[in-house]
Amino acid sequence: MDHALIEASLGELTAANSRELERKCEQIALSYIAQLVEPQFDVDSADFARDPRLICADRYWNLRFQAAPTLATAVDCAGWMAEHVVAAVQDPIREKWAMGYAFITRNSVESAAEIADATADVVAADDSACNKAYFAALYHAGKLRANFFYDELEIFLAASPLALAAGPHRESVLFTALRAFAAFGSRTTVHQHGCALLDQMWNSAERTFAATDVVLNGLAAGKDFDGRAQLLRDRSAEAVAAYPGRDILHFRLATGRWMCGEYDAAMADIDEALRLLPAIGWRVSHELLQGQYLARRDAIEAARAADRQARIDRDRVQSTEREVDRLAGEVRGTVLRAVELVTVFAAVIAFAVGSLNVSLNGNITLADRIWIVVTQGVGLLLFAFLILGGSWFIADRLARRSERRDRPED
């Protein structure tokens, strides 16, 4: 295989359009696979969109992992990176490959025995064993994360010989993010521990896009706790601002807003995620992500429709209650007027009858008769005012109670 010719061909693709670039790179990657040879060119950038060498290497290792989704392949990939990827761009490429290849091969989680065998091979290797163990550990942890095996992931990161063999890499932001992911979903770990790990990773000067996405994924999919939805919404909004143009972060933000009941904003974000999702390329993850986004969009639309109907029903109930209160007020007013009329009429009749009896009684002096009539009139007047006052008081209490019920709460 003429490696020099292939490298020259890749160099000529720098000006090609995206479809031609990917088609040519895939052909070259397939030729490497067919001849059981690893690429011999070097990669000096992390531009997955325009760098022909990186795109070709990405396609080659994508095919390798799909054909053999094992830790042995991860170890080989880590060894190739150590030899052919310049140190300045190894971290972003390592994180993207480890999490991406783990996602598309998540249906092939290896057993403890297989992990032990791979660990033995790594430890017995050269002085790059630490880097190889780190990449292999990220790959296996990525599979556990993609399958939401929270407890298994927590145990693997804390005590697995493969994870321990990663040495100082265990303090990386991506390792911390994976620990936070496991803590958010673990049945034995309190959510405060996950929040502490989230803050540790979030405030790190070395925070990366991959670590940010992992921790937001854990927050979205893990156990519920007070403030979880608001935390996911706020952190996702910060992530969108920090890493613009990333479809997955808009998906996380849409999820947070959906959980907070902000359905219109959530719909705008999920539509943006679908718009940003690349429509070209060979990655299996494209269809998987598109399916997730569309399912979330359906859930947001259903929640928004239910919320809209609930508001309509609530407005209808409130309108009915206001009409009932209005009619009740009219009835109260009518009854009050009737009570007033009956009270006044009764008082007048009683006064007239009493006055007539006193006036016709010849045994009482005129002065006494006037005094009795006045006294009787004042008594009946006080009685009428007492009845009317009580009726007005009751009506006023009922009206105030109705106003308090209709007044919106702060």
Coordinates of all heavy atoms in Angstrom, one line a residue, residues 199-289:
D199 N -20.3 20.7 40.0 CA -19.7 22.0 40.2 C -18.2 22.0 40.0 O -17.5 22.9 39.5 CB -20.0 22.5 41.6 CG -21.5 22.9 41.8 OD1 -22.1 23.2 40.7 OD2 -22.0 22.9 42.9
Q200 N -17.5 20.9 40.5 CA -16.1 20.7 40.4 C -15.7 20.7 38.9 O -14.7 21.4 38.5 CB -15.7 19.4 41.0 CG -14.2 19.1 40.9 CD -13.8 17.7 41.5 OE1 -14.5 17.2 42.4 NE2 -12.7 17.1 41.0
M201 N -16.4 20.0 38.1 CA -16.1 19.9 36.7 C -16.4 21.2 36.0 O -15.7 21.8 35.2 CB -16.9 18.8 36.0 CG -16.5 18.5 34.6 SD -17.3 19.6 33.4 CE -19.1 19.4 33.7
W202 N -17.6 21.8 36.3 CA -18.1 23.0 35.7 C -17.1 24.2 35.9 O -16.9 25.0 35.0 CB -19.5 23.4 36.2 CG -20.3 24.1 35.2 CD1 -20.4 25.5 35.1 CD2 -21.1 23.6 34.2 NE1 -21.2 25.8 34.1 CE2 -21.7 24.7 33.5 CE3 -21.4 22.3 33.7 CZ2 -22.5 24.6 32.4 CZ3 -22.3 22.2 32.7 CH2 -22.8 23.3 32.0
N203 N -16.6 24.3 37.1 CA -15.7 25.4 37.4 C -14.3 25.2 37.0 O -13.4 26.1 37.3 CB -15.8 25.7 38.9 CG -17.2 26.1 39.4 OD1 -17.9 26.8 38.6 ND2 -17.7 25.7 40.5
S204 N -14.0 24.1 36.5 CA -12.6 23.8 36.1 C -12.2 24.6 34.8 O -13.0 24.7 33.9 CB -12.4 22.3 35.8 OG -11.1 22.1 35.3
A205 N -11.0 25.1 34.8 CA -10.5 25.8 33.6 C -10.3 24.9 32.5 O -10.2 25.3 31.3 CB -9.2 26.5 34.0
E206 N -10.3 23.6 32.7 CA -10.1 22.6 31.7 C -11.4 22.0 31.2 O -11.3 20.9 30.5 CB -9.1 21.5 32.2 CG -7.7 22.0 32.6 CD -6.8 21.0 33.2 OE1 -7.3 19.8 33.4 OE2 -5.7 21.2 33.4
R207 N -12.5 22.6 31.6 CA -13.8 22.0 31.2 C -13.9 21.9 29.6 O -13.5 22.8 28.9 CB -14.9 22.9 31.7 CG -16.3 22.4 31.3 CD -17.4 23.0 32.2 NE -17.5 24.4 32.0 CZ -18.4 25.0 31.3 NH1 -19.3 24.3 30.5 NH2 -18.5 26.3 31.2
T208 N -14.4 20.7 29.2 CA -14.5 20.5 27.7 C -15.9 20.3 27.3 O -16.8 20.0 28.2 CB -13.7 19.2 27.3 OG1 -14.2 18.1 28.0 CG2 -12.2 19.4 27.7
F209 N -16.2 20.3 26.0 CA -17.5 20.1 25.5 C -18.0 18.7 25.9 O -19.1 18.5 26.3 CB -17.5 20.2 24.0 CG -18.7 19.6 23.4 CD1 -20.0 20.2 23.5 CD2 -18.6 18.4 22.6 CE1 -21.1 19.6 22.9 CE2 -19.7 17.8 22.0 CZ -21.0 18.4 22.2
A210 N -17.1 17.7 25.7 CA -17.5 16.3 26.0 C -17.9 16.1 27.5 O -19.0 15.5 27.8 CB -16.4 15.3 25.7
A211 N -17.1 16.7 28.4 CA -17.4 16.6 29.8 C -18.7 17.3 30.1 O -19.5 16.8 30.9 CB -16.3 17.1 30.6
T212 N -18.9 18.4 29.5 CA -20.2 19.2 29.7 C -21.4 18.4 29.3 O -22.4 18.4 30.0 CB -20.1 20.5 28.9 OG1 -19.0 21.3 29.4 CG2 -21.4 21.3 29.1
D213 N -21.3 17.8 28.2 CA -22.5 17.0 27.7 C -22.7 15.8 28.6 O -23.9 15.5 28.9 CB -22.2 16.6 26.2 CG -23.3 15.7 25.7 OD1 -24.5 16.1 25.8 OD2 -23.1 14.6 25.2
V214 N -21.7 15.1 29.0 CA -21.9 14.0 29.9 C -22.6 14.3 31.2 O -23.5 13.6 31.6 CB -20.5 13.3 30.1 CG1 -20.7 12.3 31.3 CG2 -20.0 12.6 28.9
V215 N -22.2 15.4 31.8 CA -22.8 15.7 33.1 C -24.2 16.2 32.9 O -25.1 16.0 33.8 CB -21.9 16.8 33.8 CG1 -22.1 18.2 33.3 CG2 -22.1 16.7 35.3
L216 N -24.5 16.9 31.8 CA -25.9 17.4 31.6 C -26.7 16.2 31.2 O -27.9 16.1 31.6 CB -25.9 18.4 30.4 CG -25.2 19.7 30.7 CD1 -25.3 20.6 29.4 CD2 -26.0 20.5 31.8
N217 N -26.2 15.2 30.6 CA -26.9 14.0 30.3 C -27.3 13.2 31.6 O -28.4 12.8 31.7 CB -26.1 13.1 29.4 CG -26.7 11.8 29.0 OD1 -26.1 10.8 28.6 ND2 -28.1 11.8 28.9
G218 N -26.3 13.2 32.5 CA -26.6 12.6 33.8 C -27.7 13.3 34.6 O -28.6 12.7 35.2
L219 N -27.6 14.6 34.5 CA -28.6 15.4 35.2 C -30.0 15.3 34.7 O -31.0 15.2 35.4 CB -28.2 16.9 35.2 CG -28.9 17.9 36.1 CD1 -28.8 17.5 37.5 CD2 -28.3 19.3 35.8
A220 N -30.1 15.1 33.3 CA -31.4 15.0 32.7 C -32.0 13.6 32.9 O -33.2 13.5 33.0 CB -31.2 15.3 31.2
A221 N -31.1 12.6 32.9 CA -31.6 11.2 32.9 C -31.6 10.6 34.3 O -32.2 9.5 34.5 CB -30.8 10.3 32.0
G222 N -31.0 11.2 35.3 CA -30.9 10.6 36.6 C -32.1 10.7 37.5 O -33.2 11.1 37.0
K223 N -31.9 10.5 38.8 CA -33.0 10.5 39.7 C -33.5 12.0 39.9 O -32.7 12.9 39.7 CB -32.5 10.0 41.1 CG -32.1 8.6 41.1 CD -31.6 8.2 42.5 CE -30.4 9.1 42.9 NZ -29.8 8.6 44.2
D224 N -34.8 12.1 40.2 CA -35.3 13.4 40.4 C -35.0 13.9 41.8 O -34.9 13.2 42.8 CB -36.8 13.4 40.2 CG -37.4 14.8 40.1 OD1 -36.7 15.7 39.7 OD2 -38.6 15.0 40.3
F225 N -34.8 15.3 41.9 CA -34.7 15.9 43.2 C -35.1 17.4 43.1 O -35.2 17.9 42.0 CB -33.2 15.8 43.7 CG -32.2 16.4 42.8 CD1 -31.8 17.7 42.8 CD2 -31.5 15.5 41.9 CE1 -30.9 18.2 42.0 CE2 -30.6 16.1 41.0 CZ -30.3 17.4 41.0
D226 N -35.3 18.0 44.2 CA -35.8 19.4 44.2 C -34.8 20.3 43.5 O -33.6 20.3 43.8 CB -36.0 19.9 45.6 CG -37.2 19.2 46.3 OD1 -38.0 18.7 45.6 OD2 -37.3 19.3 47.6
G227 N -35.2 21.0 42.5 CA -34.4 21.9 41.8 C -33.6 21.3 40.6 O -32.9 22.0 39.9
R228 N -33.9 20.0 40.4 CA -33.2 19.4 39.3 C -33.5 20.0 37.9 O -32.6 20.3 37.1 CB -33.5 17.9 39.3 CG -33.1 17.1 38.0 CD -33.3 15.6 38.2 NE -33.4 14.9 37.0 CZ -34.5 14.5 36.4 NH1 -35.7 14.7 36.9 NH2 -34.5 13.8 35.2
A229 N -34.8 20.2 37.6 CA -35.1 20.8 36.3 C -34.5 22.2 36.1 O -34.0 22.5 35.0 CB -36.7 20.9 36.2
Q230 N -34.6 23.0 37.2 CA -34.0 24.4 37.0 C -32.5 24.3 36.9 O -31.9 25.1 36.1 CB -34.4 25.2 38.3 CG -35.9 25.5 38.4 CD -36.7 24.3 38.9 OE1 -36.1 23.3 39.4 NE2 -38.0 24.4 38.8
L231 N -31.9 23.4 37.6 CA -30.4 23.3 37.4 C -30.0 22.8 36.0 O -29.1 23.4 35.4 CB -29.9 22.2 38.5 CG -28.4 22.0 38.5 CD1 -27.6 23.3 38.8 CD2 -28.0 20.9 39.5
L232 N -30.8 21.9 35.5 CA -30.5 21.4 34.1 C -30.7 22.5 33.1 O -29.9 22.7 32.2 CB -31.4 20.2 33.8 CG -31.3 19.7 32.3 CD1 -29.9 19.2 32.0 CD2 -32.3 18.6 32.1
R233 N -31.8 23.3 33.3 CA -32.1 24.4 32.4 C -31.0 25.4 32.4 O -30.5 25.9 31.4 CB -33.5 25.0 32.7 CG -33.9 26.2 31.9 CD -35.0 27.0 32.6 NE -34.5 27.4 33.9 CZ -35.4 27.9 34.8 NH1 -36.7 28.0 34.6 NH2 -34.9 28.3 36.0
D234 N -30.6 25.8 33.6 CA -29.7 26.9 33.7 C -28.3 26.5 33.3 O -27.6 27.3 32.5 CB -29.6 27.4 35.2 CG -30.9 28.0 35.7 OD1 -31.8 28.3 34.8 OD2 -31.1 28.1 36.9
R235 N -27.8 25.3 33.6 CA -26.5 24.8 33.2 C -26.5 24.6 31.7 O -25.5 24.9 31.0 CB -26.2 23.5 33.9 CG -25.9 23.7 35.4 CD -24.8 24.6 35.7 NE -24.3 24.4 37.1 CZ -23.4 25.1 37.7 NH1 -22.9 26.1 37.0 NH2 -23.1 24.9 39.0
S236 N -27.6 24.1 31.1 CA -27.6 23.9 29.7 C -27.6 25.2 28.9 O -27.0 25.3 27.9 CB -28.9 23.1 29.3 OG -28.9 21.9 29.9
A237 N -28.3 26.3 29.5 CA -28.2 27.6 28.8 C -26.8 28.1 28.8 O -26.3 28.7 27.9 CB -29.2 28.5 29.6
E238 N -26.1 27.9 29.9 CA -24.7 28.3 30.0 C -23.8 27.5 29.0 O -22.9 28.1 28.3 CB -24.1 28.1 31.4 CG -24.7 28.9 32.5 CD -24.2 28.6 33.9 OE1 -23.1 28.0 34.0 OE2 -24.9 28.9 34.9
A239 N -24.1 26.3 28.8 CA -23.4 25.4 27.9 C -23.6 25.9 26.4 O -22.7 25.9 25.6 CB -23.7 24.0 28.1
V240 N -24.8 26.2 26.1 CA -25.2 26.7 24.8 C -24.4 27.9 24.5 O -23.9 28.1 23.3 CB -26.7 26.9 24.6 CG1 -27.0 27.7 23.4 CG2 -27.4 25.5 24.6
A241 N -24.3 28.8 25.4 CA -23.5 30.1 25.2 C -22.0 29.8 25.1 O -21.3 30.5 24.3 CB -23.8 31.0 26.4
A242 N -21.5 28.8 25.9 CA -20.1 28.5 25.8 C -19.7 27.7 24.6 O -18.6 27.9 24.1 CB -19.7 27.7 27.1
Y243 N -20.6 26.9 24.1 CA -20.3 26.0 22.9 C -21.4 26.2 21.9 O -22.2 25.3 21.7 CB -20.2 24.6 23.3 CG -19.2 24.3 24.4 CD1 -19.6 24.1 25.7 CD2 -17.8 24.3 24.2 CE1 -18.7 23.9 26.8 CE2 -16.9 24.0 25.2 CZ -17.3 23.8 26.5 OH -16.4 23.6 27.5
P244 N -21.4 27.4 21.2 CA -22.5 27.6 20.2 C -22.5 26.6 19.1 O -21.4 26.1 18.7 CB -22.2 29.0 19.8 CG -20.8 29.3 20.0 CD -20.4 28.4 21.2
G245 N -23.7 26.4 18.5 CA -23.8 25.5 17.3 C -23.8 24.1 17.6 O -23.7 23.3 16.6
R246 N -23.9 23.6 18.9 CA -23.9 22.2 19.2 C -25.3 21.7 19.4 O -26.0 22.1 20.3 CB -23.1 22.0 20.5 CG -21.7 22.5 20.5 CD -20.8 21.6 19.6 NE -19.4 22.0 19.7 CZ -18.4 21.1 19.7 NH1 -18.6 19.8 19.7 NH2 -17.1 21.6 19.8
D247 N -25.7 20.8 18.5 CA -27.1 20.4 18.5 C -27.4 19.7 19.8 O -28.5 19.9 20.4 CB -27.4 19.4 17.4 CG -26.4 18.2 17.3 OD1 -25.2 18.4 16.9 OD2 -26.8 17.1 17.8
I248 N -26.5 18.9 20.4 CA -26.8 18.1 21.6 C -27.1 19.0 22.8 O -27.9 18.7 23.7 CB -25.7 17.1 21.9 CG1 -26.1 16.1 23.0 CG2 -24.4 17.8 22.3 CD1 -27.2 15.2 22.6
L249 N -26.4 20.2 22.8 CA -26.6 21.1 24.0 C -28.0 21.8 23.9 O -28.6 22.0 24.9 CB -25.5 22.1 24.0 CG -24.1 21.6 24.3 CD1 -23.1 22.7 24.3 CD2 -24.1 20.7 25.6
H250 N -28.4 22.0 22.7 CA -29.8 22.6 22.5 C -30.8 21.5 22.9 O -31.9 21.8 23.4 CB -30.0 23.0 21.1 CG -29.4 24.4 20.7 ND1 -30.1 25.5 21.1 CD2 -28.3 24.7 20.2 CE1 -29.3 26.6 20.7 NE2 -28.2 26.1 20.1
F251 N -30.5 20.3 22.6 CA -31.4 19.2 23.1 C -31.4 19.1 24.6 O -32.5 19.0 25.2 CB -30.8 17.8 22.5 CG -31.5 16.6 23.1 CD1 -32.8 16.4 22.8 CD2 -30.9 15.7 23.9 CE1 -33.5 15.2 23.3 CE2 -31.5 14.6 24.4 CZ -32.8 14.4 24.1
R252 N -30.3 19.3 25.3 CA -30.3 19.3 26.7 C -31.1 20.5 27.3 O -31.8 20.3 28.2 CB -28.8 19.4 27.3 CG -27.9 18.3 26.8 CD -28.2 16.9 27.2 NE -27.2 16.0 26.8 CZ -27.5 14.7 26.4 NH1 -28.7 14.2 26.5 NH2 -26.6 13.9 26.1
L253 N -30.9 21.6 26.6 CA -31.6 22.8 27.1 C -33.1 22.6 26.9 O -33.9 23.0 27.7 CB -31.1 24.1 26.3 CG -31.8 25.4 26.7 CD1 -31.7 25.7 28.2 CD2 -31.2 26.5 25.9
A254 N -33.5 22.1 25.7 CA -34.9 21.8 25.5 C -35.5 20.9 26.6 O -36.6 21.1 27.0 CB -35.1 21.2 24.1
T255 N -34.7 19.9 27.0 CA -35.2 18.9 28.0 C -35.4 19.7 29.3 O -36.4 19.5 30.0 CB -34.1 17.8 28.2 OG1 -34.0 17.1 26.9 CG2 -34.6 16.8 29.3
G256 N -34.4 20.5 29.7 CA -34.5 21.3 30.9 C -35.7 22.2 30.9 O -36.5 22.3 31.9
R257 N -36.0 22.9 29.8 CA -37.1 23.8 29.8 C -38.4 23.0 29.7 O -39.5 23.4 30.3 CB -37.0 24.7 28.5 CG -35.9 25.8 28.8 CD -35.7 26.6 27.5 NE -34.9 27.8 27.9 CZ -34.3 28.6 27.1 NH1 -34.4 28.3 25.8 NH2 -33.6 29.7 27.5
W258 N -38.4 21.9 29.1 CA -39.6 21.0 29.1 C -39.9 20.5 30.5 O -41.1 20.6 30.9 CB -39.3 19.8 28.2 CG -40.3 18.7 28.2 CD1 -41.6 18.7 28.0 CD2 -40.0 17.3 28.5 NE1 -42.2 17.5 28.1 CE2 -41.2 16.6 28.4 CE3 -38.9 16.6 28.9 CZ2 -41.3 15.2 28.7 CZ3 -38.9 15.2 29.1 CH2 -40.2 14.6 29.0
M259 N -38.9 20.1 31.3 CA -39.1 19.7 32.7 C -39.6 20.9 33.5 O -40.3 20.7 34.5 CB -37.8 19.1 33.2 CG -37.4 17.8 32.6 SD -35.7 17.3 32.9 CE -35.7 17.2 34.7
C260 N -39.2 22.1 33.2 CA -39.7 23.3 33.9 C -41.0 23.8 33.5 O -41.6 24.8 34.1 CB -38.6 24.4 33.8 SG -37.1 24.1 34.6
G261 N -41.6 23.2 32.5 CA -42.9 23.6 32.0 C -42.9 24.8 31.0 O -43.9 25.4 30.7
E262 N -41.7 25.1 30.5 CA -41.5 26.2 29.6 C -41.6 25.6 28.1 O -40.6 25.5 27.4 CB -40.2 26.9 29.8 CG -40.1 27.5 31.2 CD -38.7 28.0 31.5 OE1 -37.8 28.0 30.7 OE2 -38.5 28.4 32.7
Y263 N -42.8 25.3 27.7 CA -43.0 24.5 26.5 C -42.6 25.2 25.2 O -42.1 24.6 24.3 CB -44.4 23.9 26.5 CG -44.7 23.1 27.7 CD1 -45.8 23.4 28.5 CD2 -43.9 22.0 28.1 CE1 -46.1 22.7 29.7 CE2 -44.2 21.3 29.2 CZ -45.3 21.6 30.0 OH -45.5 20.9 31.2
D264 N -43.0 26.5 25.1 CA -42.7 27.2 23.9 C -41.2 27.4 23.7 O -40.7 27.2 22.6 CB -43.4 28.6 23.9 CG -44.9 28.5 23.8 OD1 -45.4 27.4 23.4 OD2 -45.6 29.4 24.3
A265 N -40.5 27.7 24.8 CA -39.0 27.8 24.7 C -38.4 26.5 24.4 O -37.4 26.4 23.6 CB -38.5 28.5 25.9
A266 N -38.9 25.4 25.0 CA -38.4 24.1 24.8 C -38.6 23.7 23.3 O -37.7 23.1 22.7 CB -39.1 23.1 25.7
M267 N -39.7 24.0 22.7 CA -40.0 23.7 21.3 C -39.0 24.4 20.4 O -38.5 23.8 19.4 CB -41.4 24.1 20.9 CG -41.8 23.7 19.5 SD -41.7 21.9 19.2 CE -43.1 21.3 20.2
A268 N -38.7 25.7 20.7 CA -37.7 26.4 19.9 C -36.3 25.8 20.0 O -35.6 25.7 19.0 CB -37.7 27.9 20.4
D269 N -36.0 25.3 21.2 CA -34.6 24.7 21.3 C -34.5 23.3 20.7 O -33.5 23.0 20.0 CB -34.3 24.6 22.8 CG -33.8 25.9 23.4 OD1 -32.9 26.5 22.9 OD2 -34.4 26.3 24.4
I270 N -35.6 22.5 20.7 CA -35.5 21.2 20.1 C -35.5 21.4 18.6 O -34.9 20.6 17.9 CB -36.7 20.3 20.6 CG1 -36.3 18.8 20.3 CG2 -38.0 20.7 20.0 CD1 -35.1 18.3 21.0
D271 N -36.2 22.4 18.1 CA -36.2 22.6 16.6 C -34.8 23.1 16.2 O -34.3 22.7 15.1 CB -37.2 23.7 16.3 CG -38.7 23.1 16.3 OD1 -38.8 21.9 16.2 OD2 -39.6 23.9 16.3
E272 N -34.2 23.9 17.1 CA -32.8 24.3 16.8 C -31.8 23.1 16.8 O -30.9 23.0 16.0 CB -32.3 25.4 17.8 CG -31.0 25.9 17.5 CD -30.9 26.8 16.3 OE1 -31.9 27.0 15.6 OE2 -29.7 27.2 15.9
A273 N -32.0 22.2 17.7 CA -31.2 21.0 17.8 C -31.4 20.2 16.5 O -30.4 19.7 15.9 CB -31.6 20.1 19.0
L274 N -32.6 20.0 16.0 CA -32.8 19.3 14.8 C -32.2 20.0 13.6 O -31.7 19.4 12.6 CB -34.3 19.1 14.5 CG -35.0 18.0 15.4 CD1 -36.5 18.2 15.4 CD2 -34.6 16.6 15.0
R275 N -32.2 21.3 13.6 CA -31.6 22.1 12.5 C -30.1 22.0 12.5 O -29.5 21.9 11.4 CB -32.0 23.6 12.6 CG -31.6 24.4 11.5 CD -31.9 25.9 11.7 NE -31.0 26.4 12.7 CZ -29.7 26.8 12.5 NH1 -29.2 26.7 11.2 NH2 -28.9 27.3 13.4
L276 N -29.5 21.9 13.6 CA -28.0 21.9 13.7 C -27.5 20.4 13.5 O -26.3 20.3 13.2 CB -27.6 22.4 15.1 CG -27.8 23.9 15.3 CD1 -27.5 24.2 16.8 CD2 -26.9 24.7 14.4
L277 N -28.4 19.4 13.7 CA -27.9 18.1 13.5 C -27.4 17.8 12.1 O -28.2 18.0 11.2 CB -29.0 17.1 13.9 CG -28.6 15.6 13.9 CD1 -27.6 15.3 15.0 CD2 -29.9 14.7 14.1
P278 N -26.2 17.4 11.9 CA -25.7 17.3 10.5 C -26.5 16.3 9.7 O -26.8 15.2 10.2 CB -24.2 16.8 10.7 CG -23.9 17.2 12.1 CD -25.1 17.2 12.9
A279 N -26.8 16.7 8.5 CA -27.6 15.8 7.6 C -26.7 15.0 6.7 O -27.2 14.4 5.8 CB -28.6 16.7 6.8
I280 N -25.4 15.2 6.8 CA -24.5 14.4 6.0 C -23.6 13.6 6.9 O -23.5 13.7 8.1 CB -23.6 15.4 5.1 CG1 -22.8 16.3 6.0 CG2 -24.5 16.2 4.2 CD1 -21.9 17.2 5.3
G281 N -22.8 12.7 6.2 CA -21.8 11.9 7.0 C -22.3 10.5 7.2 O -23.4 10.1 6.8
W282 N -21.4 9.7 7.7 CA -21.7 8.2 7.8 C -22.0 7.8 9.2 O -22.2 6.6 9.5 CB -20.4 7.5 7.3 CG -19.2 7.9 8.0 CD1 -18.8 7.7 9.3 CD2 -18.1 8.7 7.4 NE1 -17.6 8.3 9.6 CE2 -17.2 8.9 8.4 CE3 -17.9 9.2 6.2 CZ2 -16.0 9.6 8.2 CZ3 -16.7 9.9 5.9 CH2 -15.8 10.1 6.9
R283 N -21.9 8.7 10.2 CA -22.0 8.3 11.6 C -23.3 7.7 11.9 O -24.4 8.3 11.6 CB -21.7 9.4 12.5 CG -20.2 9.9 12.4 CD -19.9 11.1 13.3 NE -18.5 11.4 13.2 CZ -18.0 12.2 12.2 NH1 -18.8 12.6 11.2 NH2 -16.7 12.4 12.1
V284 N -23.3 6.5 12.5 CA -24.6 5.9 12.9 C -25.3 6.7 13.9 O -26.5 6.7 14.0 CB -24.3 4.5 13.5 CG1 -25.5 3.8 13.9 CG2 -23.5 3.6 12.4
S285 N -24.6 7.5 14.7 CA -25.2 8.3 15.7 C -26.1 9.3 15.2 O -27.0 9.8 15.9 CB -24.1 9.0 16.6 OG -23.3 9.8 15.7
H286 N -26.0 9.7 13.9 CA -26.9 10.7 13.4 C -28.4 10.2 13.5 O -29.2 11.0 14.0 CB -26.6 11.0 11.9 CG -27.5 11.9 11.2 ND1 -28.7 11.5 10.6 CD2 -27.5 13.3 11.1 CE1 -29.3 12.6 10.2 NE2 -28.6 13.7 10.4
E287 N -28.7 9.0 13.0 CA -30.0 8.6 13.0 C -30.5 8.3 14.5 O -31.6 8.6 14.8 CB -30.2 7.3 12.2 CG -30.0 7.5 10.7 CD -30.3 6.2 10.0 OE1 -30.6 5.2 10.6 OE2 -30.1 6.2 8.7
L288 N -29.6 7.8 15.3 CA -29.9 7.6 16.7 C -30.3 8.9 17.4 O -31.3 9.0 18.1 CB -28.8 6.9 17.4 CG -28.4 5.5 16.9 CD1 -27.2 5.0 17.6 CD2 -29.6 4.5 17.1
L289 N -29.5 9.9 17.2 CA -29.7 11.2 17.8 C -31.0 11.9 17.2 O -31.8 12.4 17.9 CB -28.6 12.2 17.6 CG -27.3 11.9 18.3 CD1 -26.2 12.8 17.9 CD2 -27.5 12.0 19.8

